[in-house]
Structure formats: C-alpha cells, structure tokens
Amino acid sequence: MKKLLIIISLVITACAPTTQFPDVNKDLAEREAEIQRDIALKETHKHFTRLQNIAAPIFIANADICPHNKVRPFYGFHVDNVDVYTDKFRGAAERIHGLRSRPTIYYITADTPAVGTFQEGDVITQVNGKKIPTGKRGNKKLMTYIYDKDRLNETTSFVINRDGTPHTVAVTPVASCGGRAYLSEEPVVNAYADGESIFFTRQMMKMTQKDEELALVIGHEIAHNSRKHIESKKGNAMIGVVFGGAISVATGINVMNLGSNLGAAAFSQDFEAEADYVGLYHAARAGYDIDNAPYFWCRMAAENPAGIDAVGGSHPSDSHRFVALEATVKEINAKKAKGLPLIPEEKTVEALKADKGKLNE
C-alpha cells in the first residue's frame, strides 16, 4: 500500500506546474480579501437600494386594492445586524454600514415616513417600550413587530442609539401591499414570492437594466402575494393529498405525492397569467411606464425560460403571453385616457364557477 501511494504521488508530481510564478505574501492576500469583501458588500447594497427605491412606490400605491389581510404598515427604514454575517464578513459590515448587534438602520427609502426622523447608523433599542434583543433575534423581533397588520396607521415610538446617545422618536407608517423586498443569493436569474414577501436575485437585478423593467417584475411578484396564489397552490396541493390518499387506500398504491403535485399544478398557468395582468396594474398605478412590458417578458422568457419566478408550474406560451400583455397595456392606457381608476377587472360569478368545475374534473 505504501509503495502504491509513493507511485501515485510521483505521477501527480509529474503533472505539476513547471513555471516559477511569484510567491504570495499571506498578509497581502488577506488584505486583498478584505478589499474584495468590501466591494462585494457595496455591490449588494447597490442592488438592495435600487430594489427598495422601485418597490416602495409600488407597495404603497397598491395598498387600496390589496386584500385587507395583505396590507402592512410601511415605515421606509431598513435594518441589518452584524450578527447575521459570517465571521469573514463581519468586519466589512461594521466598516461599511456601521452595523451593531442590534438592528441598525443602514438605508432609508426616499419619500417614506422614516425620512427626517431616522438616520443611517441609528441602532434601534426599543419599540413602544419593548426592548429589542441583541443578536439575530433582534432583527426578527423588530420585523415581526413593525410589520404587524394590527398596527396599521398607529404611531410607533422608537428608542434609538445615535452616536452613543439615546433618542426617542415617533413615526406613523403608511399602508402598503406587503412591503418587504429582499435580495436572494441564488446564482440564477430569478424572482419569486412566498405569500408575504418578494425576492430577487442579483442576476435578476442585472437583467432588469431599466427601472421600468424591474417595476414590471416587482408588480408581477406582488400580484402573486396579493392574489393569494401561494395559499391557493398549498390548498390545491392539500386537496390532491386527500384524493391521493383515498386512491392509495382503495388500490394499495401510494399516489399521495402524485396527488399533491397534481393539485399544486392546478391553475398554474392561470396564476401566472393573472400575475401578469394584475402586475401591470401594480406598476402603472405607481407611475411606471408599462408600454414595453410585452417585449420585456418575451426577452425574459428567451433568457431564462425555466424560472421567471419560483411560484411553480408552467407559464403560458410566449405567444399567448405576449398577446395577453399587449391587451392589458391597451386596457390600462384606455382607462388612463378616460380618467378611470386603474383597478383590475374581476371575473364574473359564472366564470368563477367554471374555474371550480375545472378543478373538480
């Protein structure tokens, strides 16, 4: 065995590089690693701030057409916590954003209630007299509290630490349709919704070169949440499990997973079509130009046909989607010309009954 290892080592050595390249100073390499981590964090912040700047007007503009249980308070400040970072990135987070072990404000969106009250670098220590804990729990506690739908339009009192001095400030949030947009680290061109929040990868941020394009995707993903597509898919999946279970008992063949998958896939194309339709309204109501929407979504399909979002199921065909989007743009522009409110058209009772019939077939 020892001889075999020696032979393998000699063979591997024979395939080693033969040029005399420079030795690398470890201290210099670590310093360069710090510089690159700083650059990476700044690049993330650039994408994040762009996402928030475009998403905020859409969240706020669509609160009045959002289901009541989807409307959330919106302040406009964004926090982070140094304890959510790995050891190697903690230093960069402290240097660049001044983050601490409690929620620290590192960005404030323009034209939101937070402007003029908070400053970047403020550390939030209390909300309405309740202490915010340190560590990762601090962020979660704060987010749970300030996005509580029962506190909509209520003035909230914050105790902040600013340059070592405590201050008490009060802010009244505005209503928004959701209100939480995040960056995702998935290495693909993708955006998706989870029923409450919306998520965008860096590649999607780069793909949407124009703000109007990003607004279209934001509107689309908000529509998945506001129209309760995720809840519907989960409910349909559960129906599939029940029927699959009944079939499994009758036949002795386990088809519960198949039933779940078939249930979740029900109306997938319809959900996507509705997100396209309502999403255009979302973007238009916030003042974004939607005229090029059909061409943008065609480009998206060509670049990444498998994953415009992660709601699941198949999308309508490109041709069907293009024609439907064109029709929606005309519909919205016609309402604008007549001074009519930009509100999506709802299905008739008969159409809704037909949909239920499809699911039971």
Side-chain angles (χ1 to χ4, degrees), residues 118-168:
F118 294 101
Q119 294 180 13
E120 292 180 9
D122 288 346
V123 178
I124 299 177
T125 60
Q126 292 184 38
V127 179
N128 281 352
K130 295 185 178 180
K131 189 175 180 180
I132 300 298
T134 59
K136 296 179 181 179
R137 284 198 316 121
N139 276 22
K140 186 175 181 180
K141 184 82 171 179
L142 178 64
M143 291 298 100
T144 300
Y145 196 83
I146 67 174
Y147 283 106
D148 183 353
K149 65 179 182 296
D150 294 331
R151 300 189 179 280
L152 190 63
N153 297 323
E154 291 185 6
T155 299
T156 304
S157 173
F158 296 86
V159 176
I160 59 174
N161 187 315
R162 181 178 296 167
D163 298 326
T165 303
H167 298 270
T168 300

Coordinates of all heavy atoms in Angstrom, one line a residue, residues 118-168:
F118 N -35.3 59.2 11.1 CA -34.2 58.3 11.4 C -33.0 58.7 10.5 O -33.1 59.5 9.6 CB -34.5 56.9 11.0 CG -35.6 56.3 11.8 CD1 -36.9 56.2 11.4 CD2 -35.3 55.8 13.1 CE1 -37.9 55.7 12.2 CE2 -36.3 55.2 13.9 CZ -37.6 55.1 13.4
Q119 N -31.8 58.2 10.9 CA -30.6 58.4 10.2 C -29.9 57.1 10.0 O -30.0 56.2 10.9 CB -29.6 59.4 10.9 CG -30.1 60.8 11.0 CD -29.1 61.7 11.7 OE1 -28.0 61.3 12.0 NE2 -29.6 62.9 12.1
E120 N -29.1 56.9 9.0 CA -28.4 55.7 8.8 C -27.4 55.6 9.9 O -26.7 56.6 10.3 CB -27.7 55.7 7.4 CG -28.6 55.6 6.3 CD -27.9 55.6 4.9 OE1 -26.7 55.5 4.9 OE2 -28.6 55.7 3.9
G121 N -27.3 54.4 10.5 CA -26.4 54.2 11.7 C -27.1 54.2 13.0 O -26.6 53.8 14.0
D122 N -28.4 54.6 13.0 CA -29.2 54.6 14.2 C -29.4 53.1 14.6 O -29.7 52.3 13.8 CB -30.6 55.2 14.0 CG -30.5 56.7 13.9 OD1 -29.5 57.3 14.3 OD2 -31.5 57.3 13.5
V123 N -29.2 52.8 15.9 CA -29.4 51.5 16.4 C -30.7 51.5 17.2 O -30.9 52.3 18.1 CB -28.3 51.1 17.4 CG1 -28.5 49.7 17.9 CG2 -26.9 51.1 16.6
I124 N -31.7 50.6 16.8 CA -33.0 50.6 17.5 C -32.9 49.7 18.7 O -32.6 48.5 18.6 CB -34.1 50.1 16.5 CG1 -34.2 51.0 15.3 CG2 -35.4 49.9 17.2 CD1 -35.1 50.6 14.2
T125 N -33.2 50.2 19.8 CA -33.1 49.5 21.1 C -34.5 49.2 21.7 O -34.6 48.2 22.5 CB -32.3 50.3 22.1 OG1 -32.9 51.5 22.4 CG2 -30.9 50.5 21.6
Q126 N -35.5 50.0 21.4 CA -36.8 49.7 21.9 C -37.9 50.1 20.9 O -37.7 51.1 20.1 CB -37.1 50.5 23.2 CG -36.3 50.1 24.4 CD -36.6 50.9 25.7 OE1 -37.8 51.2 25.9 NE2 -35.6 51.3 26.5
V127 N -39.0 49.4 20.9 CA -40.2 49.8 20.1 C -41.4 49.8 21.1 O -41.7 48.8 21.7 CB -40.4 48.8 19.0 CG1 -41.7 49.2 18.2 CG2 -39.2 48.8 18.1
N128 N -42.1 50.9 21.2 CA -43.2 51.1 22.1 C -43.0 50.5 23.5 O -43.8 49.8 24.1 CB -44.5 50.4 21.5 CG -45.1 51.3 20.4 OD1 -44.8 52.4 20.2 ND2 -46.1 50.7 19.7
G129 N -41.8 50.8 24.0 CA -41.4 50.4 25.3 C -40.9 49.0 25.5 O -40.5 48.6 26.6
K130 N -40.9 48.3 24.4 CA -40.4 46.9 24.4 C -38.9 46.8 23.9 O -38.6 47.3 22.8 CB -41.3 46.0 23.6 CG -42.7 45.8 24.1 CD -43.5 44.8 23.3 CE -44.9 44.6 23.9 NZ -45.7 43.6 23.1
K131 N -38.1 46.2 24.7 CA -36.7 46.2 24.4 C -36.4 45.2 23.3 O -37.0 44.1 23.2 CB -35.9 45.7 25.6 CG -34.4 45.8 25.5 CD -33.7 45.5 26.8 CE -32.1 45.6 26.6 NZ -31.4 45.2 27.9
I132 N -35.6 45.6 22.3 CA -35.2 44.8 21.2 C -33.9 44.0 21.6 O -32.9 44.6 21.9 CB -34.9 45.6 19.9 CG1 -36.2 46.4 19.5 CG2 -34.5 44.7 18.8 CD1 -37.4 45.5 19.2
P133 N -33.9 42.7 21.5 CA -32.7 41.9 21.9 C -31.6 42.1 21.0 O -31.7 42.5 19.8 CB -33.3 40.5 22.0 CG -34.4 40.5 21.0 CD -35.0 41.8 21.1
T134 N -30.4 41.7 21.4 CA -29.2 41.6 20.6 C -29.2 40.4 19.8 O -30.0 39.5 20.0 CB -27.9 41.7 21.4 OG1 -27.9 40.6 22.3 CG2 -27.9 43.0 22.2
G135 N -28.3 40.3 18.8 CA -28.1 39.1 18.0 C -29.2 38.9 16.9 O -29.9 39.9 16.7
K136 N -29.2 37.8 16.3 CA -30.1 37.6 15.2 C -31.6 37.7 15.6 O -32.4 38.1 14.8 CB -29.9 36.1 14.6 CG -28.5 35.9 14.0 CD -28.4 34.5 13.5 CE -27.0 34.3 12.9 NZ -26.8 32.9 12.4
R137 N -31.9 37.4 16.9 CA -33.3 37.5 17.3 C -33.8 39.0 17.3 O -35.0 39.2 17.1 CB -33.4 37.0 18.8 CG -33.4 35.5 18.9 CD -33.9 35.1 20.3 NE -33.4 35.9 21.4 CZ -34.3 36.6 22.2 NH1 -35.6 36.6 22.0 NH2 -33.8 37.2 23.2
G138 N -32.8 39.9 17.4 CA -33.2 41.3 17.4 C -33.9 41.7 16.1 O -35.0 42.4 16.1
N139 N -33.3 41.3 14.9 CA -33.9 41.6 13.6 C -35.3 41.0 13.5 O -36.3 41.6 13.1 CB -33.0 41.1 12.5 CG -31.9 42.1 12.2 OD1 -31.6 42.9 13.0 ND2 -31.4 42.0 11.0
K140 N -35.4 39.7 13.9 CA -36.7 39.0 13.8 C -37.7 39.6 14.6 O -38.9 39.8 14.2 CB -36.5 37.5 14.1 CG -37.7 36.7 13.9 CD -37.4 35.2 14.2 CE -38.7 34.4 13.9 NZ -38.4 32.9 14.2
K141 N -37.4 40.0 15.8 CA -38.3 40.6 16.8 C -38.8 42.0 16.2 O -40.0 42.2 16.2 CB -37.6 40.9 18.1 CG -38.5 41.4 19.2 CD -39.4 40.3 19.8 CE -40.1 40.9 21.1 NZ -40.9 39.8 21.7
L142 N -37.9 42.8 15.7 CA -38.3 44.1 15.2 C -39.2 43.9 13.9 O -40.2 44.6 13.8 CB -37.0 44.9 14.8 CG -37.3 46.2 14.2 CD1 -38.0 47.2 15.2 CD2 -36.0 46.9 13.7
M143 N -38.8 43.0 13.0 CA -39.6 42.8 11.8 C -41.0 42.4 12.1 O -42.0 42.8 11.5 CB -38.9 41.8 10.9 CG -37.6 42.3 10.2 SD -37.8 43.8 9.2 CE -37.3 45.1 10.3
T144 N -41.1 41.4 13.0 CA -42.4 40.9 13.4 C -43.3 42.0 14.0 O -44.5 42.1 13.7 CB -42.3 39.8 14.5 OG1 -41.5 38.7 13.9 CG2 -43.6 39.3 14.9
Y145 N -42.7 42.9 14.7 CA -43.4 44.0 15.4 C -43.9 45.1 14.4 O -45.0 45.4 14.4 CB -42.6 44.6 16.5 CG -43.4 45.4 17.5 CD1 -44.0 44.8 18.5 CD2 -43.5 46.8 17.3 CE1 -44.8 45.6 19.4 CE2 -44.2 47.5 18.2 CZ -44.9 46.9 19.3 OH -45.6 47.7 20.1
I146 N -42.9 45.6 13.6 CA -43.3 46.7 12.8 C -44.1 46.3 11.6 O -44.8 47.2 11.0 CB -42.0 47.5 12.3 CG1 -41.2 46.7 11.4 CG2 -41.2 48.0 13.5 CD1 -40.0 47.5 10.8
Y147 N -44.2 45.0 11.2 CA -45.0 44.6 10.1 C -46.3 44.0 10.5 O -47.0 43.4 9.7 CB -44.2 43.7 9.1 CG -43.2 44.4 8.2 CD1 -41.9 44.3 8.5 CD2 -43.7 45.2 7.2 CE1 -41.0 45.0 7.7 CE2 -42.8 45.9 6.4 CZ -41.4 45.8 6.6 OH -40.6 46.5 5.8
D148 N -46.6 44.2 11.8 CA -47.9 43.7 12.3 C -49.0 44.4 11.7 O -49.2 45.7 11.9 CB -47.9 43.8 13.8 CG -49.1 43.2 14.5 OD1 -50.1 42.8 13.8 OD2 -49.2 43.2 15.7
K149 N -49.9 43.8 11.0 CA -51.0 44.5 10.3 C -52.0 45.2 11.3 O -52.7 46.1 10.9 CB -51.8 43.5 9.4 CG -52.5 42.4 10.1 CD -53.3 41.5 9.1 CE -54.1 40.4 9.8 NZ -53.2 39.4 10.5
D150 N -52.0 44.7 12.5 CA -52.9 45.3 13.5 C -52.4 46.7 14.0 O -53.1 47.4 14.6 CB -53.0 44.4 14.7 CG -53.8 43.1 14.4 OD1 -54.6 43.1 13.5 OD2 -53.5 42.1 15.0
R151 N -51.1 47.0 13.6 CA -50.6 48.3 14.0 C -50.6 49.3 12.8 O -50.0 50.4 12.9 CB -49.2 48.2 14.5 CG -49.1 47.3 15.7 CD -47.7 47.3 16.3 NE -47.7 46.4 17.5 CZ -48.2 46.7 18.7 NH1 -48.7 47.9 18.9 NH2 -48.1 45.9 19.7
L152 N -51.4 49.0 11.8 CA -51.5 49.9 10.6 C -52.0 51.2 11.0 O -53.0 51.4 11.7 CB -52.5 49.2 9.6 CG -52.5 49.8 8.2 CD1 -51.2 49.7 7.5 CD2 -53.6 49.2 7.4
N153 N -51.3 52.3 10.6 CA -51.6 53.7 10.8 C -51.5 54.1 12.3 O -51.8 55.2 12.6 CB -53.0 54.0 10.3 CG -53.2 53.8 8.8 OD1 -52.3 54.1 8.1 ND2 -54.3 53.3 8.4
E154 N -51.0 53.3 13.1 CA -50.7 53.6 14.5 C -49.3 54.3 14.6 O -48.4 53.7 14.1 CB -50.8 52.4 15.5 CG -52.2 51.9 15.6 CD -52.3 50.8 16.7 OE1 -51.2 50.5 17.3 OE2 -53.3 50.2 16.8
T155 N -49.2 55.4 15.4 CA -47.9 56.0 15.6 C -47.1 55.1 16.5 O -47.6 54.6 17.5 CB -48.1 57.4 16.2 OG1 -48.8 58.2 15.4 CG2 -46.7 58.0 16.5
T156 N -45.9 54.8 16.1 CA -45.0 53.9 16.8 C -43.8 54.7 17.4 O -43.2 55.5 16.8 CB -44.4 52.8 15.9 OG1 -45.5 52.1 15.3 CG2 -43.6 51.8 16.6
S157 N -43.5 54.4 18.7 CA -42.5 55.1 19.4 C -41.2 54.2 19.4 O -41.3 53.0 19.6 CB -42.8 55.3 20.8 OG -41.7 55.8 21.6
F158 N -40.1 54.8 19.0 CA -38.8 54.0 18.9 C -37.8 54.7 19.8 O -37.8 56.0 19.9 CB -38.2 54.1 17.5 CG -39.1 53.3 16.5 CD1 -40.1 54.0 15.8 CD2 -38.8 52.0 16.1 CE1 -40.9 53.4 14.8 CE2 -39.6 51.4 15.2 CZ -40.6 52.0 14.5
V159 N -37.0 53.9 20.5 CA -35.8 54.5 21.2 C -34.6 54.0 20.3 O -34.4 52.8 20.1 CB -35.7 53.9 22.6 CG1 -34.4 54.4 23.2 CG2 -36.8 54.4 23.5
I160 N -33.8 55.0 19.9 CA -32.7 54.7 19.1 C -31.4 55.2 19.8 O -31.4 56.2 20.6 CB -32.8 55.4 17.7 CG1 -32.9 56.9 17.8 CG2 -34.0 54.8 16.9 CD1 -32.9 57.7 16.5
N161 N -30.3 54.6 19.5 CA -29.0 55.0 19.9 C -28.3 55.6 18.8 O -28.0 55.0 17.8 CB -28.2 53.8 20.5 CG -26.9 54.2 21.1 OD1 -26.2 55.1 20.6 ND2 -26.6 53.7 22.3
R162 N -28.0 56.9 18.9 CA -27.4 57.7 17.8 C -26.1 58.3 18.3 O -26.1 59.1 19.1 CB -28.3 58.8 17.2 CG -27.7 59.6 16.1 CD -28.7 60.6 15.6 NE -29.9 60.0 15.0 CZ -31.0 60.7 14.8 NH1 -31.1 62.0 15.0 NH2 -32.1 60.0 14.2
D163 N -25.0 57.7 17.8 CA -23.6 58.2 18.2 C -23.5 58.1 19.7 O -22.9 59.0 20.4 CB -23.4 59.7 17.7 CG -23.4 59.8 16.2 OD1 -23.0 58.8 15.6 OD2 -23.9 60.8 15.7
G164 N -24.0 57.1 20.3 CA -23.9 56.8 21.7 C -24.9 57.5 22.6 O -24.9 57.4 23.8
T165 N -25.8 58.3 22.0 CA -26.8 59.0 22.8 C -28.2 58.5 22.5 O -28.6 58.4 21.3 CB -26.8 60.5 22.5 OG1 -25.5 61.0 22.7 CG2 -27.8 61.3 23.3
P166 N -29.0 58.1 23.5 CA -30.4 57.6 23.2 C -31.3 58.8 22.8 O -31.2 59.9 23.4 CB -30.8 57.0 24.6 CG -30.0 57.7 25.6 CD -28.7 58.1 24.9
H167 N -32.2 58.5 21.9 CA -33.2 59.4 21.4 C -34.5 58.7 21.3 O -34.6 57.5 20.9 CB -32.9 60.0 20.1 CG -31.6 60.8 20.0 ND1 -31.6 62.2 20.3 CD2 -30.3 60.4 19.8 CE1 -30.3 62.6 20.2 NE2 -29.6 61.6 19.9
T168 N -35.6 59.3 21.6 CA -37.0 58.8 21.4 C -37.6 59.5 20.2 O -37.7 60.7 20.2 CB -37.8 58.9 22.6 OG1 -37.2 58.3 23.8 CG2 -39.2 58.3 22.4

